[in-house]
């Protein structure tokens, strides 16, 4: 049997508030995950409000040649979920129960910067809700969404 050892350079996420955990995790140089895969950059991490950006690229294309809606949906799910996470106590997690996305306009895959912002609406003991918006670099609304998350205590 192998015994796990704690690396003193790795933060103990279980003891951190949601906001502390997000700040520590996004500061790690070798982090992995969906944000890294899509090239997301942290723009803002505050209690109840999170913004990430990404730059469109050709491999984000749908069959019509514009950015696939799943890219915006993933950006929205990420910022809304992280906004909720930022308001949670240490050792408390969450999971998305529902995601509702409204698409306003298509986005080319030619290096356009998209900025997604998520804001909490309600954080309760068992569920939380948030809203999110994605804007392009010209400030035009691309998509907006709401989410409901379950809280894991």
């Amino acid at each position: 049997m192998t015994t796990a050892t704690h690396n003193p350079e790795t933060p103990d996420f279980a003891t951190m508030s949601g906001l502390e955990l997000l700040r520590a995790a996004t500061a790690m140089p070798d982090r992995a995950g969906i944000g890294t895969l899509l090239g997301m950059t942290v723009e803002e991490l505050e209690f109840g409000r999170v913004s990430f950006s990404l730059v469109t690229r050709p491999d984000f294309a749908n069959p019509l040649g514009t950015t696939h809606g799943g890219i915006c949906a993933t950006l929205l799910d990420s910022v809304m979920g992280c906004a909720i996470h930022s308001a949670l106590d240490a050792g408390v997690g969450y999971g998305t129960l529902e995601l509702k996305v409204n698409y306003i306009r298509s986005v080319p895959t030619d290096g356009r910067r998209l900025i997604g912002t998520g804001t909490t609406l309600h954080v309760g003991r068992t569920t939380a809700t948030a809203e999110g918006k994605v804007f392009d670099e010209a400030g035009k609304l691309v998509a907006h969404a709401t989410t409901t998350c379950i809280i894991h205590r």
Side-chain angles (χ1 to χ4, degrees):
M1 180 177 0
T2 306
T3 304
T5 58
H6 178 70
N7 179 344
E9 295 179 22
T10 303
D12 184 2
F13 292 134
T15 64
M16 297 179 171
S17 72
L19 182 58
E20 291 169 335
L21 183 151
L22 288 170
R23 287 181 173 160
T26 58
M28 296 176 74
D30 58 347
R31 70 181 193 266
I34 193 69
T36 301
L37 180 67
L38 297 182
M40 288 185 201
T41 300
V42 175
E43 300 292 332
E44 177 183 13
L45 280 176
E46 297 299 331
F47 185 89
R49 183 176 168 89
V50 172
S51 293
F52 300 155
S53 65
L54 59 77
V55 176
T56 66
R57 55 189 198 232
D59 58 333
F60 288 178
N62 61 26
L64 298 174
T66 59
T67 299
H68 190 282
I71 299 297
C72 280
T74 302
L75 180 57
L76 285 160
D77 188 44
S78 297
V79 296
M80 292 186 299
C82 286
I84 287 170
H85 197 175
S86 75
L88 299 179
D89 293 330
V92 179
Y94 71 96
T96 301
L97 286 173
E98 180 265 342
L99 175 68
K100 166 69 170 89
V101 180
N102 293 283
Y103 299 98
I104 306 304
R105 62 181 33 88
S106 61
V107 179
T109 60
D110 61 354
R112 307 284 170 108
R113 185 169 172 256
L114 299 178
I115 302 148
T117 301
T119 307
T120 57
L121 296 171
H122 166 78
V123 180
R125 179 158 177 74
T126 58
T127 61
T129 59
E131 64 183 359
K133 296 178 182 175
V134 174
F135 291 92
D136 67 14
E137 54 199 7
K140 292 184 179 178
L141 183 65
V142 171
H144 58 93
T146 56
T147 193
T148 303
C149 292
I150 188 167
I151 306 298
H152 304 289
R153 294 194 180 270

